[in-house]
Amino acid sequence: MGEFELIARHFARPTQRAVVGPGDDCAVIAPRAGHRLAVSCDMLVEGRHFLPTVDARRLGHKALAVNLSDLAACGAEPLACTLALALPRPDAAWLEAFAGGLHALAERHGCELVGGDTTCGPLNLCITVFGEVGDGRAAPGAILRSGARAGDDLWVSHAPQGGLGDARLALEVFRGTVALEGTAFERVRRAMECPEPRVALGVALRGLAGAAIDVSDGLTGDLGHLLRASAVGATLEADALPRSAELAAQPLALQRLCTLAGGDDYELVFTVPAGRRAEVEAAAAQAGCAVRRVGRIEAEPGLRIVDQAGGPLEGAWPSFDHFA
Ligand code: ADP
Ligand code: MG
């Protein structure tokens, strides 16, 4: 299978919203009047972001999911994406599964694959997503990291039966530091390999959340970015963080490591004025996910992590840094 046959067979699909899709030198996409494009790009490298043994369909899903999660954090509605793909060899079964996972998630979110690039090389996936936000006049604009204010509540999203930290728990099982078997392992493994981007929640939070960020590198680190961008601080209640039954069955120190520093959660952390709690609950119900209040924004800079009794938690929870 040659390069162009590969693209035609697995990636070039007729587009409905894009004016020009795959096959020309550029794709052409048309945001609605009164809207702006929100653009984000995320790369997945074998051995760094995923294990070589991962199921190809799940990998196709995750490569797009991590990008849609960035759109979600801005409250943007997905419009289109491009895929830059380096592949060691054109394995038809692998490509079929990978493209299947990617197209299935793309279709669910109306995010058309409009172009890309395909080369031979070590497995590497880079997706760019394009989303739509209001221009801030007729319709609410993008939710930024910089809009948190002292007095706001701090919230996190989670799956109804899930929470933060499951992806890290699965990683520890792969590393051999934690033993977990059967359906319990399958559930946390699914959280790691098949994250669900909170796109509908992000859209529902427009005009409601002052600031938001998605948790990709670990809660404390990502929340830290939001706090610095907003020039505020926060108190975070560690024991209020949502946890799956699988994680809640682990020793407390491991629970804290996974929820506070885990990474690969792809949940939204966001801030909303304290008088608007009912609206947040309604937005989450409409979006089909759960949300929990886990702290508050304060004027004093820095992140204060406390236990149930309000006492400070000792310890360091470093978030992921590729060059640290
Ligand atoms: P060019 O040489 O002009 O960059 P290419 O030969 O790389 O174009 O690609 C041909 C067409 O196929 C382009 O429209 C490009 O966007 C599309 N394309 C290439 N790789 C992919 C891919 N992995 N997924 C979707 N479209 C792709
Ligand atoms: Mg090219």
Side-chain angles (χ1 to χ4, degrees):
M1 179 168 40
E3 176 187 335
F4 298 103
E5 192 195 339
L6 185 162
I7 295 166
R9 221 158 105 181
H10 297 289
F11 298 113
R13 293 265 178 105
T15 53
Q16 320 215 314
R17 303 167 78 184
V19 178
V20 179
D24 218 299
D25 292 309
C26 287
V28 179
I29 48 183
R32 286 171 294 171
H35 287 71
R36 290 181 178 165
L37 277 183
V39 182
S40 184
C41 171
D42 255 314
M43 180 159 66
L44 296 187
V45 177
E46 186 179 71
R48 209 0 93 182
H49 298 96
F50 59 90
L51 304 168
T53 52
V54 71
D55 173 70
R57 189 178 171 89
R58 288 189 171 185
L59 186 60
H61 172 102
K62 185 166 177 175
L64 181 59
V66 303
N67 279 280
L68 291 177
S69 179
D70 284 315
L71 289 184
C74 287
E77 285 173 74
L79 200 54
C81 62
T82 61
L83 166 68
L85 178 64
L87 274 180
R89 72 198 82 80
D91 177 335
W94 189 94
L95 277 160
E96 183 74 33
F98 173 82
L102 191 153
H103 287 306
L105 184 65
E107 265 162 37
R108 262 208 283 139
H109 290 283
C111 186
E112 298 181 322
L113 181 60
V114 295
D117 198 25
T118 307
T119 77
C120 185
L123 187 55
N124 189 333
L125 315 160
C126 185
I127 290 183
T128 300
V129 279
F130 302 85
E132 247 182 17
V133 290
D135 61 6
R137 288 188 281 268
I143 306 169
L144 303 180
R145 296 177 180 183
S146 51
R149 300 290 174 259
D152 288 352
D153 289 326
L154 185 62
W155 296 79
V156 295
S157 65
H158 63 105
Q161 307 290 321
L164 294 173
D166 279 358
R168 176 60 178 265
L169 181 58
L171 181 63
E172 294 301 331
V173 177
F174 279 110
R175 285 175 171 166
T177 66
V178 174
L180 206 62
E181 284 170 354
T183 53
F185 175 55
E186 265 317 307
R187 289 181 61 147
V188 296
R189 179 181 192 169
R190 199 182 159 75
M192 177 173 84
E193 295 178 347
C194 263
E196 193 57 46
R198 302 295 176 204
V199 173
L201 179 64
V203 170
L205 289 175
R206 285 193 303 211
L208 183 55
I213 188 167
D214 67 318
V215 184
S216 53
D217 294 334
L219 175 63
T220 56
D222 288 326
L223 176 56
H225 296 312
L226 182 154
L227 298 178
R228 278 187 295 277
S230 297
V232 293
T235 292
L236 174 68
E237 295 160 34
D239 297 323
L241 293 171
R243 267 152 289 187
S244 67
E246 290 76 20
L247 185 56
Q250 303 297 322
L252 189 58
L254 181 63
Q255 293 184 37
R256 287 186 171 152
L257 175 77
C258 291
T259 51
L260 291 168
D264 259 5
D265 290 311
Y266 303 103
E267 295 295 350
L268 298 185
V269 178
F270 56 95
T271 68
V272 179
R276 305 186 69 179
R277 289 175 186 169
E279 290 169 79
V280 176
E281 298 286 357
Q286 184 195 325
C289 70
V291 288
R292 178 147 338 149
R293 220 157 19 89
V294 295
R296 62 196 164 275
I297 300 296
E298 294 152 349
E300 189 192 342
L303 177 59
R304 293 160 287 280
I305 304 174
V306 299
D307 63 16
Q308 224 154 16
L313 270 194
E314 303 298 337
W317 290 279
S319 66
F320 193 77
D321 179 334
H322 282 280
F323 296 104

